[in-house]
RNA sequence: GCCGAGGUGGUGGAGUUGGUAGACACGAGGGACUUAAACUCCCUUGCCACUUAUACUGGCGCGCGGGUUCGAAUCCCGCCCUCGGCACCA
């Protein structure tokens, strides 16, 4: 290929990025370029990042990656004719601010506001197109008024309740936690302490009522990554099966059999099983140590067991174990037979022993199981150890335990029936119910800490729990002397008598405020809605605005695959049910981003001393450089290590773009025009699908060609528009230098001239026997015989055809020619 | 164990309705400019063999082993490894 080289020497022009950034950031602000017109008639596009927690450490270069992507995407959409909403806000309640406040003796609000100012400055340095008129902050009383309002609605609908069940308690953070706040090994995700089970009064949200809908509606989320949906499915953990009652008989104190319940009804315990088809093989029953029946049976006032002491000791020992010890499948099974009581297998009437064992979990299903050792690995191991009969009921050539399906045996009238069919049939015979159970537990919603939204209820001696009347919202967080957690299970708010003691809204009698606060995740469970209508004082959101702007069109973030996204989906569905929103899901499309590691391949952390502050990169290399670089690093969803060399590569690219403005030509080769239109198409398609790395690469390819072959002012201007979303400062500057009107960011995105995309000649690869041997350049859509004769004229091809006869010709027009020879 | 995503040069990565693998960038080597260095620019750069040669040419190459096909990074079968979610969940 011919290359007419311009001498790049003379092309090199450096520019003062600091000057340009300062100039245009000021101009953008002054002209209100990025203001959103919520009432615009244009089609809307709501592009949102997961808003940050404003930590004292500030941003490192990894944080802005997602923000850059949404900035580019929303700028592109604006150029494509949409009215965009691309806001930013602060998730500012939570433990770190509170801990910082305790340590440094400042009010958390003061610390957080300082951090926000720092974050905002860091973001502004990168040239983002946020409309700060739409900023929100979860700690503003005008915001959390509506967080509290949602809680009241949940309470009203019976979806918030108080529970005294043992919950996760972090001894270091001194607060209760939700299951979602724990690591896999049962430690606190925030401080790493081993979490304890502790019974205490808690507010709990009935998220399980929404489990089925949250699971089913995942299928409507066509624009979500599969792995996120899968993580949510796993978290919800639905199992389908049956609940079947097992009658108990007392053998040690037979008189107890005739004297149960007010109507003499028999005692029966329900078990949950996914394999009701194996009921005939159930040779014992197991209860979790925390099962209420067990608790009752070992109570001192009861005396129906033969070995109460022994069972009691086992239960006590089980409670001493940590979560990890309890849930380690590898360890040998332990348990104790409950003597003096047997269960009746409802299928065949056999008397089977009852055990208490900690391999059965109280929090799942009914906390009791029917054990089928022949067809369950765990039951098999347990049965072998305790010498319990093993009865095979599913026919299989495999060895036991076998947990697959097959024709039944030893199952009375069901012999020969297939497992699947037998599930419903056997359940029906024994009067059981086909049910589902979930791994997901209700959301433990109260924290015994200061820095959170007060839960808006009042406890009255006479009336019990009384919601704070809506017109008294927000219940504002009072000033306190000390933020330290009390450790007693009471929040620090409990010490502020003048705040706690109120009169009951119902009876006017003496009452106390709820002193627990909401978890960190409350404010972020609905914040996206508030961006649309941030200053509304009379409603959470104006219905008309909601109708136009919800849901979020593109939501971008990493992490939070379950927690935040589960909670937000839950609240959104609730808001749908009470008529606040009109869609069943909050986020139409989700883009998951990969993180940026430090140059040494480790996570960026103060601990390793490898943190890079974007401010330093902006100062040294420019905001446009870091923007282009972070998009060029690799696929958006990939986690990649920072590379200063790569950054410099992006900077060189921008400097060459800038330098080219001094070397524009009056004409350009057709090839450059054609390439420009290919580039327009490629960049538009790639931004739409979040493939920013290949969009940048396409622009680099165009720049290389334009430098080598020449480019006109018009084409160069078009190219600048493609680059504008990525590098908003220098493109604005160059746009002005070309003599155009302000602003490049309000230009329509260039149109592709489709006629330019089809070149008149094509280069076709030529294969001999499937191996590439040469290529021919020929007019588009050339006839097969012309391509073959052109290929036969190619010496490289000819060499491989020598002395051979062409048996077969495979020709894919404009793509490939394959000559197959005999011999 | 179950489920999901992935494995391509020295590096980040292109390319998957099967059709010229390695675009673009980084790094490296060589050269121009410079008193010198930096910057900038030009050339080379998957591996191996042959060769005075970086020229030709041939062979091998997308985790491994098979298969389908004129043709496989792409489709099928069987493995291995990495990352993520769940996990004594009945």
């Amino acid at each position: 290929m011919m290359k007419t080289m311009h001498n790049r020497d003379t092309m090199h022009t450096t520019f003062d990025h600091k000057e340009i950034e300062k100039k245009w950031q000021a101009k953008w602000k002054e002209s209100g370029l990025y203001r959103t017109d919520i009432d615009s008639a244009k089609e809307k596009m709501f592009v949102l990042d997961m808003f940050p927690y404003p930590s004292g450490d500030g941003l490192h270069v990894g944080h802005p990656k997602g923000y850059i992507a949404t900035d580019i995407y929303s700028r592109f959409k604006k150029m494509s004719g949409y009215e965009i909403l691309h806001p930013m806000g602060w998730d500012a309640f939570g433990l770190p601010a509170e801990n910082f406040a305790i340590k440094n003796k400042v009010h958390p609000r003061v610390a957080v506001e300082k951090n926000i100012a720092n974050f905002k400055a860091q973001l502004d340095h990168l040239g983002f197109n946020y409309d700060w008129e739409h900023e929100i902050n979860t700690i503003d009383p005008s915001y959390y008024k509506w967080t509290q309002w949602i809680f009241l609605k949940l309470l009203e609908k019976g979806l918030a309740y108080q529970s005294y069940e043992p919950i996760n308690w972090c001894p270091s953070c001194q607060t209760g936690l939700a299951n979602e706040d724990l690591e896999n090994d049962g430690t606190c995700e925030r401080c790493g302490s081993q979490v304890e089970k502790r019974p205490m009064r808690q507010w709990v949200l009935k998220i399980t009522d929404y489990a089925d809908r949250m699971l089913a509606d995942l299928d409507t989320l066509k624009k979500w990554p599969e792995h996120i949906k899968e993580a949510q499915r796993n978290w919800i953990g639905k199992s389908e099966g049956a609940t079947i009652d097992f009658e108990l008989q007392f053998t040690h104190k037979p008189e107890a059999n005739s004297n149960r319940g007010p109507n003499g009804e028999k005692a029966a315990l329900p078990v949950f099983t996914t394999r009701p088809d194996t009921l005939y093989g159930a040779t014992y029953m197991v209860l979790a140590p925390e099962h209420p029946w067990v608790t009752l049976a070992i109570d001192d006032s009861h005396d129906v067991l033969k070995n109460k002491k022994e069972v009691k000791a086992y239960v006590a020992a089980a409670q001493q174990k940590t979560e990890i010890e309890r849930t380690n499948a590898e360890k040998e099974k332990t348990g104790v037979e409950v003597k003096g009581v047997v269960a009746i297998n409802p299928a065949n009437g056999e008397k089977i022993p009852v055990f208490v064992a900690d391999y059965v979990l109280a929090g799942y299903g009914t906390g009791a199981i029917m054990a089928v050792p022949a067809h369950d690995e765990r039951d098999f191991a347990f049965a072998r150890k305790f010498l319990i009969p093993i009865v095979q009921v599913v026919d299989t050539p495999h060895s036991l335990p076998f947990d697959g399906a097959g024709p039944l045996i030893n199952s009375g009238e069901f012999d020969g029936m297939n497992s699947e069919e037998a599930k419903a049939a056997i359940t029906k015979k024994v009067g059981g119910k086909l049910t589902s159970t979930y791994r997901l537990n209700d959301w433990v919603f109260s924290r015994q800490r200061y820095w959170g939204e007060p839960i808006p209820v009042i406890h009255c001696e006479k009336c019990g729990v009384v919601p704070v009347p809506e017109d008294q919202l927000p219940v504002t967080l009072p000033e306190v002397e000390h933020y330290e957690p009390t450790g007693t299970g009471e929040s620090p708010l409990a010490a502020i008598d003048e705040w706690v003691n109120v009169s009951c809204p119902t009876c006017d009698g003496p009452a106390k405020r709820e002193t627990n606060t909401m978890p960190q995740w409350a404010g972020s469970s609905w914040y996206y809605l508030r961006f649309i209508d941030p200053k509304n004082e009379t409603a959470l959101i104006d219905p008309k605005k909601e109708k136009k702007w919800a849901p979020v069109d593109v939501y971008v973030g990493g992490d939070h695959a379950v927690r935040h996204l589960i909670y937000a989906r839950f609240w959104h569905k609730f808001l749908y049910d009470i008529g606040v929103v009109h869609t069943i899901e909050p986020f139409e499309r989700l883009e998951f981003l990969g993180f940026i590691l430090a140059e040494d391949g480790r996570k960026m952390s103060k601990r390793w001393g490898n943190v890079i502050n974007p401010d330093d990169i902006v100062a040294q290399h420019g905001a446009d450089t870091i923007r282009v670089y972070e998009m060029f690093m690799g696929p958006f969803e990939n986690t990649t290590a920072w590379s200063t060399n790569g950054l410099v590569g992006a900077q060189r690219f921008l400097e060459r773009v800038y330098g080219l403005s001094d070397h524009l030509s009056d004409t350009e080769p057709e090839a450059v025009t054609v390439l420009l239109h290919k580039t327009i198409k490629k960049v538009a398609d790639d931004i739409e699908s979040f493939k920013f790395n290949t969009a940048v690469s396409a622009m680099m390819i165009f720049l290389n060609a334009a430098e080598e072959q020449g480019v006109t002012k018009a084409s160069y201007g078009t190219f600048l528009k493609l680059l504008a979303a990525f590098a908003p400062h220098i493109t604005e500057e160059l746009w002005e230098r070309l003599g155009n009107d302000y602003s490049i960011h309000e230009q329509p995105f260039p149109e592709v001239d489709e006629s330019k995309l089809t070149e008149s000649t094509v280069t076709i690869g030529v294969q001999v026997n499937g191996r590439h041997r040469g290529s021919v350049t020929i007019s588009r859509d050339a006839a097969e015989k012309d391509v073959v004769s052109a290929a036969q004229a190619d010496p490289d091809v000819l060499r491989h055809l020598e002395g051979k006869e062409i048996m077969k010709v495979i020709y894919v027009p404009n793509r490939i020619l394959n000559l197959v020879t005999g011999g």
Side-chain angles (χ1 to χ4, degrees):
Chain A
M1 192 192 290
M2 281 288 293
K3 285 186 180 174
T4 20
M5 300 293 169
H6 289 253
N7 184 352
R8 278 186 185 165
D9 254 351
T10 57
M11 277 193 166
H12 180 63
T13 323
T14 47
F15 59 93
D16 186 344
H17 61 81
K18 283 186 193 167
E19 199 59 40
I20 291 174
E21 284 161 19
K22 209 173 117 193
K23 170 180 165 187
W24 291 110
Q25 285 175 12
K27 174 92 180 199
W28 294 335
K29 197 170 176 186
E30 167 220 311
S31 64
L33 183 66
Y34 301 133
R35 195 145 310 149
T36 297
D37 178 7
I38 284 289
D39 302 317
S40 166
K42 287 196 247 175
E43 202 175 332
K44 67 96 180 184
M45 176 58 55
F46 187 0
V47 185
L48 187 65
D49 293 281
M50 291 181 186
F51 68 160
Y53 171 78
S55 86
D57 297 338
L59 298 169
H60 64 62
V61 290
H63 293 114
K65 182 176 166 184
Y67 309 155
I68 294 168
T70 54
D71 193 69
I72 290 167
Y73 188 84
S74 59
R75 284 172 184 274
F76 167 68
K77 283 295 179 183
K78 180 176 171 144
M79 292 175 87
S80 305
Y82 290 84
E83 185 69 24
I84 59 157
L85 177 60
H86 181 225
M88 185 44 85
W90 317 104
D91 187 16
F93 274 128
L95 272 180
E98 188 169 346
N99 289 337
F100 179 87
I102 290 165
K103 206 171 145 194
N104 297 287
K105 311 257 180 254
V106 291
H107 194 285
R109 172 172 283 107
V110 174
V112 154
E113 276 167 5
K114 199 174 140 217
N115 295 345
I116 288 174
N118 179 41
F119 264 59
K120 220 168 158 175
Q122 286 188 297
L123 293 176
D124 278 339
H125 293 158
L126 290 160
F128 291 137
N129 65 353
Y130 301 129
D131 179 356
W132 288 114
E133 293 294 305
H134 284 261
E135 178 180 4
I136 59 160
N137 187 342
T138 54
I139 64 170
D140 284 344
S142 64
Y143 178 89
Y144 68 68
K145 169 181 177 178
W146 299 105
T147 312
Q148 292 174 334
W149 181 85
I150 294 170
F151 180 88
L152 290 182
K153 289 292 167 192
L154 286 162
L155 185 63
E156 183 187 318
K157 303 288 177 194
L159 292 164
Y161 63 97
Q162 292 185 91
S163 157
Y164 298 85
E165 294 293 302
I167 56 142
N168 307 304
W169 171 263
C170 174
S172 162
C173 297
Q174 303 198 358
T175 183
L177 296 172
N179 282 352
E180 287 82 0
D181 297 323
L182 304 189
E183 295 291 341
N184 281 337
D185 59 359
T187 55
C188 169
E189 59 101 29
R190 202 153 272 302
C191 69
S193 311
Q194 187 61 51
V195 164
E196 302 161 359
K197 287 281 179 189
R198 184 161 163 174
M200 58 192 303
R201 185 184 63 87
Q202 293 291 325
W203 282 99
V204 180
L205 300 187
K206 248 187 178 168
I207 190 170
T208 49
D209 271 16
Y210 283 75
D212 244 337
R213 283 164 66 187
M214 288 200 291
L215 188 66
D217 292 347
L218 284 172
D219 294 335
T220 70
L221 298 171
K222 304 288 184 211
K223 296 178 186 170
W224 276 43
E226 192 52 43
H227 74 274
I228 303 278
K229 291 198 271 186
E230 198 52 34
Q232 297 221 347
R233 284 188 198 107
N234 286 339
W235 191 263
I236 294 166
K238 180 177 184 171
S239 295
E240 292 180 75
T243 308
I244 295 170
D245 284 349
F246 275 62
E247 188 192 327
L248 298 182
Q249 274 185 13
F250 298 98
T251 52
H252 178 56
K253 298 263 168 157
E255 63 275 19
N257 287 321
S258 56
N259 184 26
R260 309 181 208 113
N263 303 314
E265 67 268 30
K266 291 176 175 174
L269 291 179
V271 304
F272 174 77
T273 177
T274 54
R275 295 297 302 274
D277 53 308
T278 63
L279 183 55
Y280 284 83
T283 52
Y284 65 101
M285 183 181 184
V286 190
L287 308 179
E290 296 83 1
H291 193 286
W293 187 90
V294 176
T295 309
L296 208 61
I298 59 175
D299 187 82
D300 286 334
S301 56
H302 287 75
D303 199 23
V304 290
L305 302 189
K306 203 173 165 188
N307 60 342
K308 190 162 92 179
K309 258 193 192 155
E310 203 187 340
V311 175
K312 208 170 174 173
Y314 180 80
V315 170
Q319 274 161 359
Q320 286 304 307
K321 291 186 193 169
T322 67
E323 198 79 2
I324 330 169
E325 288 168 334
R326 286 270 309 253
T327 57
N328 179 8
E330 306 300 313
K331 71 147 205 231
E332 201 178 333
K333 301 266 177 292
T334 63
V336 61
E337 185 174 353
V338 182
K339 292 186 178 148
V341 62
V342 293
I344 310 296
N345 182 327
N348 54 20
E350 303 242 346
K351 290 181 180 170
I352 59 174
V354 177
F355 285 80
V356 171
D358 65 4
Y359 82 92
V360 171
L361 309 174
Y364 185 78
T366 60
I369 63 160
M370 60 178 229
V372 185
H375 303 290
D376 182 279
E377 212 178 312
R378 297 151 300 178
D379 297 345
F380 187 81
F382 191 87
R384 289 256 275 231
K385 181 171 172 183
F386 289 88
L387 305 173
I388 304 164
I390 296 168
V391 177
Q392 181 175 356
V393 291
V394 177
D395 194 21
T396 174
H398 295 96
S399 61
L400 300 183
F402 170 72
D403 63 6
L408 299 196
I409 53 174
N410 300 323
S411 297
E413 72 256 41
F414 300 99
D415 279 358
M417 192 184 274
N418 194 282
S419 297
E420 278 315 310
E421 215 183 322
K423 281 181 180 175
I426 293 182
T427 302
K428 192 174 170 201
K429 169 190 157 95
V430 300
K433 259 195 325 217
L434 290 174
T435 52
S436 295
T437 191
Y438 301 89
R439 204 205 69 106
L440 181 75
N441 289 132
D442 279 343
W443 181 7
V444 173
F445 196 69
S446 37
R447 298 292 178 273
Q448 292 69 47
R449 300 287 301 222
Y450 172 73
W451 192 230
E453 301 88 343
I455 291 174
V457 300
I458 288 165
H459 298 272
C460 170
E461 286 166 22
K462 261 200 342 224
C463 315
V465 169
V466 180
V468 171
E470 268 181 43
D471 60 11
Q472 288 174 29
L473 294 182
V475 177
T476 54
L477 201 52
E479 299 291 321
V480 292
E481 300 266 329
H482 304 285
Y483 323 106
E484 285 83 351
T486 60
T488 59
E490 290 270 24
S491 129
L493 294 175
I496 313 166
D497 291 339
E498 63 273 27
W499 184 79
V500 170
N501 294 314
V502 288
S503 52
C504 171
T506 307
C507 72
D508 219 27
K512 285 180 186 299
R513 283 193 190 279
E514 170 65 57
T515 58
N516 282 336
T517 54
M518 297 188 196
Q520 159 111 62
W521 308 96
S524 58
S525 294
W526 71 280
Y527 76 111
Y528 50 94
L529 289 171
R530 191 64 178 177
F531 278 125
I532 296 168
D533 195 11
K535 299 189 173 78
N536 196 327
E537 288 178 15
T538 58
L540 187 154
I541 186 169
D542 176 85
K544 261 203 268 171
K545 292 178 180 171
E546 188 279 330
K547 190 117 185 120
K548 162 142 190 176
W549 284 91
V552 174
D553 294 284
V554 183
Y555 194 36
V556 175
D559 221 344
H560 307 316
V562 284
R563 240 187 321 189
H564 161 59
L565 290 171
I566 285 263
Y567 293 152
R569 292 181 62 224
F570 164 42
W571 275 30
H572 190 91
K573 286 179 188 304
F574 172 69
L575 292 175
Y576 174 84
D577 290 347
I578 62 170
V580 174
V581 297
H582 75 284
T583 61
I584 58 170
E585 287 287 337
F587 312 116
E588 178 82 13
R589 171 176 172 187
L590 178 71
E591 289 294 335
F592 193 80
L593 77 119
F595 299 106
I596 295 179
L597 301 172
E599 199 138 20
D600 57 14
R602 289 189 292 199
K603 245 177 112 169
M604 265 185 220
S605 146
K606 273 203 287 197
R607 190 169 146 205
W608 304 119
N610 56 9
V611 176
I612 305 173
N613 185 328
D615 285 345
D616 298 337
I617 302 298
V618 168
Q620 263 189 53
H621 302 275
D624 292 332
T625 295
I626 187 174
R627 292 171 60 112
V628 168
Y629 170 60
E630 292 203 1
M631 292 302 98
F632 185 60
M633 286 177 89
F636 186 63
E637 66 278 11
N638 277 24
T639 292
T640 319
W642 180 264
S643 156
T644 302
N645 283 325
L647 177 79
V648 170
Q651 185 171 6
R652 280 203 279 264
F653 166 65
L654 292 174
E655 274 166 3
R656 284 167 53 205
V657 170
Y658 195 90
L660 187 58
S661 66
D662 292 331
H663 298 269
L664 303 177
S665 320
D666 294 332
T667 59
E668 68 192 11
E670 177 69 9
V672 170
T673 315
V674 168
L675 184 60
L676 177 66
H677 283 273
K678 281 187 177 169
T679 307
I680 295 170
K681 184 165 166 45
K682 177 80 177 151
V683 171
D685 290 351
D686 282 354
I687 294 176
E688 187 56 56
S689 49
F690 269 57
K691 286 154 77 177
F692 303 105
N693 56 330
T694 48
V696 172
S697 151
M699 289 188 283
M700 286 173 168
I701 291 168
F702 179 79
L703 177 70
N704 289 344
E707 279 182 347
E708 287 168 13
Q709 303 173 43
V711 65
T712 61
K713 183 174 158 183
S715 291
Y716 181 72
T718 302
F719 171 70
L720 290 180
K721 287 189 234 171
L722 303 183
L723 184 58
F726 291 81
H729 306 90
I730 86 155
T731 50
E732 186 82 283
E733 174 72 13
L734 289 166
W735 185 249
E736 184 190 55
R737 281 177 44 142
L738 292 185
N740 295 303
D741 290 340
Y742 178 79
S743 154
I744 191 171
H745 302 298
E746 293 190 308
Q747 298 299 313
F749 197 81
E751 299 256 342
V752 181
D753 181 348
E754 295 284 343
S755 72
K756 298 281 185 205
L757 295 183
T758 44
E759 287 162 282
S760 53
T761 62
V762 288
T763 301
I764 296 173
V766 180
Q767 299 178 338
V768 178
N769 296 325
R771 302 191 60 98
H772 178 238
R773 297 301 182 185
S775 57
V776 293
T777 301
I778 198 158
S779 61
R780 172 170 288 277
D781 299 323
E784 179 178 314
K785 64 176 171 48
D786 298 332
V787 180
V788 171
S789 51
Q792 281 170 326
D794 186 301
D796 289 336
V797 175
L798 207 53
R799 188 169 42 244
H800 293 274
L801 289 175
E802 238 156 51
K804 289 170 183 163
E805 194 189 340
I806 298 174
M807 306 290 287
K808 193 174 172 188
V809 175
I810 288 128
Y811 175 55
V812 182
N814 306 324
R815 296 204 95 146
I816 197 102
L817 176 73
N818 189 8
L819 303 173
V820 184
T821 68

